[in-house]
Amino acid sequence: MCIMLTTASGGNVATSICNAVISNMAGILVTPALLLHFFGTSIQLPFVQMVGKLCQKVLLPVAIGQALRATKAKEVYEKNSKAFKRLQEVILLGIVWNAFCTAFTSGLGLKFHHTLILLTLLPALHLGSLVFLFKFFSIKTLGFSRDEIVAAIFCASQKTLAFGLPLINTIFEGNPNLASFVAPLMFIHPLQMTLGSILVPRISKYTSGDKKI
């Protein structure tokens, strides 16, 4: 999501890709560590087993992909890059579709007024974070260019369903409130895509030289 929005807004794509990869890989260790730090023994958190499962679900596929780049598979990919990119989009769409189907089949575990609160609060928080991040990364002492600022605000504010879903499922596996934990991520994914798409034309003008967004 952050790479797509950065590209559409004329931001620094290389920066967004680097940040997306680093943050996703760091999340494998950082997220369980933060939960262990804040909740301690108040929740059952098998840290080692959890990190092992996350590595199997996230790190292993990445490692296999990087290893294949050293073989002739890279040439096959480069010759059929458009087809593989479309396949990547279809797989991601399948993950999102499966998540939504599972959620609505088994229920989100939320009452109606809780759902309304989430649908009101999440867009407000997301827009607020975009404004704050833009102001922060625009500080002159940081020395960021406009395309880097655009990449930074999208990378720092976006939450990915493709990584977040297996993360939550692994950490809270077997928890009766799992559906409720997943619900905010299910809502924020389409919301941030919609809000980001609306803001893209305005941000593109800023990237191309306008003084303000």
Side-chain angles (χ1 to χ4, degrees), residues 16-54:
S16 66
I17 293 174
C18 182
N19 275 277
V21 172
I22 291 174
S23 61
N24 283 342
M25 294 302 101
I28 296 174
L29 294 173
V30 173
T31 303
L34 287 174
L35 286 171
L36 192 63
H37 173 74
F38 286 112
F39 293 99
T41 56
S42 62
I43 58 173
Q44 292 183 351
L45 198 65
F47 183 81
V48 176
Q49 294 91 325
M50 186 186 307
V51 171
K53 288 182 179 180
L54 289 174

Side-chain angles (χ1 to χ4, degrees), residues 35-111:
L35 286 171
L36 192 63
H37 173 74
F38 286 112
F39 293 99
T41 56
S42 62
I43 58 173
Q44 292 183 351
L45 198 65
F47 183 81
V48 176
Q49 294 91 325
M50 186 186 307
V51 171
K53 288 182 179 180
L54 289 174
C55 288
Q56 183 180 357
K57 291 181 178 181
V58 180
L59 195 58
L60 182 60
V62 173
I64 292 174
Q66 290 301 313
L68 288 174
R69 290 176 65 85
T71 66
K72 292 184 178 180
K74 182 179 179 180
E75 298 178 5
V76 175
Y77 172 81
E78 291 176 346
K79 291 179 181 178
N80 304 277
S81 59
K82 290 184 178 180
F84 278 107
K85 286 181 180 178
R86 181 58 57 85
L87 178 62
Q88 175 184 333
E89 293 170 356
V90 171
I91 292 174
L92 181 58
L93 182 63
I95 293 173
V96 175
W97 177 256
N98 179 67
F100 273 94
C101 288
T102 302
F104 284 103
T105 300
S106 57
L108 290 172
L110 295 176
K111 295 181 179 180

Side-chain angles (χ1 to χ4, degrees), residues 1-7 11-24 126 129-130 133-134 137 147-160 192 203:
M1 182 81 67
C2 64
I3 297 171
M4 179 190 72
L5 292 174
T6 299
T7 303
N12 192 314
V13 180
T15 299
S16 66
I17 293 174
C18 182
N19 275 277
V21 172
I22 291 174
S23 61
N24 283 342
H126 185 60
S129 69
L130 287 172
L133 291 167
F134 173 73
F137 289 117
D147 60 341
E148 289 173 338
I149 292 172
V150 170
I153 63 176
F154 281 131
C155 288
S157 63
Q158 301 295 313
K159 306 303 174 194
T160 170
Q192 66 187 9
I203 296 176

